[in-house]
Amino acid sequence: MTESFDALTSLVAGGGVVVLSGAGLSTESGIPDYRGPSGVARRHTPMTFQAFTRDPLARRRYWARSHLGWRLIAGAAPNAGHRAVAGLQRAGLVDAVITQNVDGLHGAAGSTSVIELHGRLDEVTCLDCGNLTSREELDRRLREANPDFVARVAAVNPDGDVDLPDEQVAAFRPVDCGICGTGMLKPDVVFFGETVPPQRVARCFAAVEQARSLLVLGSSLTVMSGRRFVIRAAKQGIPVAIVNQGPTRGDAHASVCVDAPLGALLPELAARVAGNAATVGV
């Protein structure tokens, strides 16, 4: 661990870092991940784009669950790991952040030049007219449409979904677009089975190709959506460092791998490379 941390420190101290973050960075903010130590993949099947758009019952189920789960994610605060990344950026060592997360916590921590690969859960889009509105506005409309909807939430899933029994779902009433009146609303995030907008992917590739190093934080890199950037960096001869709890599918491409909790390691890394914790605000 010491040897790996020293190698990680040397790499980050060189600057020109692009960060690629995953759900493991947000677990200490109370948002579980799918595959890490707090992973829920074995008991939770995420909503697919196909089911959401084609099945009214699946759409009702999603909005009923997400209506409750959104409140928990909206109340989440950046943790020490997010703040350390923002501190590294203020110190001039991190040029950009690519995040697979939809929680907006990088921006809340003060990071800039954040590319939200899979979108943001706090925005809602109409699939018919394309109008984009805030999740707060939708939350207000859903509360008005469901004044008697009461359900108990035991835990929230990484996509802002919660588990609810069918009888509670059946009592929930979704709403359509408030602009065009009939359009199907969807959170402005990339569902499973949906494609990331090509322009967004191109921005990510451009950032990676201009980087001196790629630093992966809290991602198992199980899906190609994030792993492709690690593969591209390796092909370009750009060093890759991975900090995650447990092995990842990108380890073979990495020159440095550190298995450690991000909330503890990142503030120490930031303090080491930027001089002290006060300087980087962690």
Side-chain angles (χ1 to χ4, degrees), residues 44-130:
H44 174 69
T45 302
M47 175 62 66
T48 66
F49 180 74
Q50 291 75 16
F52 184 87
T53 54
R54 297 173 186 172
D55 185 349
L57 294 180
R59 199 156 54 247
R60 178 194 299 269
R61 187 181 307 114
Y62 174 84
W63 280 121
R65 295 174 171 182
S66 183
H67 180 55
L68 298 174
W70 151 249
R71 300 177 196 174
L72 298 181
I73 288 186
N79 61 52
H82 295 107
R83 294 193 296 272
V85 171
L88 289 169
Q89 197 168 26
R90 287 194 298 273
L93 299 173
V94 169
D95 291 342
V97 177
I98 301 168
T99 184
Q100 301 173 88
N101 301 336
V102 296
D103 51 38
L105 292 180
H106 276 296
S111 285
T112 58
S113 300
V114 179
I115 304 173
E116 286 157 322
L117 183 64
H118 296 149
R120 294 180 62 104
L121 201 59
D122 62 358
E123 295 179 337
V124 180
T125 184
C126 174
L127 296 182
D128 288 3
C129 72

Side-chain angles (χ1 to χ4, degrees), residues 22-27 31-48 62 73 100-102 118 121 156-163 189-192 218-223 244-245:
L25 186 60
S26 292
T27 56
I31 302 173
D33 61 4
Y34 281 114
R35 300 175 181 89
S38 67
V40 297
R42 287 187 296 274
R43 66 175 175 81
H44 174 69
T45 302
M47 175 62 66
T48 66
Y62 174 84
I73 288 186
Q100 301 173 88
N101 301 336
V102 296
H118 296 149
L121 201 59
V156 64
N157 294 314
D159 53 3
D161 198 357
V162 299
D163 295 323
V189 300
V190 178
F191 281 2
F192 282 77
S219 176
S220 63
L221 300 172
T222 299
V223 296
N244 190 61
Q245 288 191 268

Side-chain angles (χ1 to χ4, degrees), residues 4-258:
S4 296
F5 183 71
D6 288 344
L8 176 65
T9 299
S10 297
L11 199 64
V12 174
V17 178
V18 168
V19 167
L20 171 63
S21 70
L25 186 60
S26 292
T27 56
E28 293 179 48
S29 293
I31 302 173
D33 61 4
Y34 281 114
R35 300 175 181 89
S38 67
V40 297
R42 287 187 296 274
R43 66 175 175 81
H44 174 69
T45 302
M47 175 62 66
T48 66
F49 180 74
Q50 291 75 16
F52 184 87
T53 54
R54 297 173 186 172
D55 185 349
L57 294 180
R59 199 156 54 247
R60 178 194 299 269
R61 187 181 307 114
Y62 174 84
W63 280 121
R65 295 174 171 182
S66 183
H67 180 55
L68 298 174
W70 151 249
R71 300 177 196 174
L72 298 181
I73 288 186
N79 61 52
H82 295 107
R83 294 193 296 272
V85 171
L88 289 169
Q89 197 168 26
R90 287 194 298 273
L93 299 173
V94 169
D95 291 342
V97 177
I98 301 168
T99 184
Q100 301 173 88
N101 301 336
V102 296
D103 51 38
L105 292 180
H106 276 296
S111 285
T112 58
S113 300
V114 179
I115 304 173
E116 286 157 322
L117 183 64
H118 296 149
R120 294 180 62 104
L121 201 59
D122 62 358
E123 295 179 337
V124 180
T125 184
C126 174
L127 296 182
D128 288 3
C129 72
N131 181 65
L132 194 67
T133 56
S134 72
R135 189 62 182 264
E136 287 87 352
E137 171 63 17
L138 176 63
D139 184 70
R140 182 191 62 77
R141 294 181 61 215
L142 287 173
R143 287 173 186 264
E144 291 177 353
N146 297 275
D148 300 320
F149 182 70
V150 178
R152 182 173 178 270
V153 178
V156 64
N157 294 314
D159 53 3
D161 198 357
V162 299
D163 295 323
L164 287 179
D166 290 342
E167 59 269 21
Q168 291 180 334
V169 170
F172 189 80
R173 179 189 168 200
V175 297
D176 292 325
C177 177
I179 302 299
C180 68
T182 59
M184 182 188 301
L185 294 178
K186 172 184 169 292
D188 196 27
V189 300
V190 178
F191 281 2
F192 282 77
E194 191 176 4
T195 302
V196 179
Q199 301 93 328
R200 196 179 300 165
V201 175
R203 286 180 60 205
C204 293
F205 275 130
V208 169
E209 290 170 358
Q210 294 168 14
R212 291 183 184 174
S213 63
L214 177 65
L215 175 59
V216 180
L217 302 175
S219 176
S220 63
L221 300 172
T222 299
V223 296
M224 185 57 74
S225 182
R227 192 166 73 251
R228 56 185 158 183
F229 304 120
V230 171
I231 295 172
R232 177 66 63 88
K235 286 183 177 179
Q236 297 284 333
I238 298 166
V240 176
I242 299 176
V243 184
N244 190 61
Q245 288 191 268
T248 81
R249 291 192 65 184
D251 289 353
H253 301 288
S255 55
V256 180
C257 290
V258 181

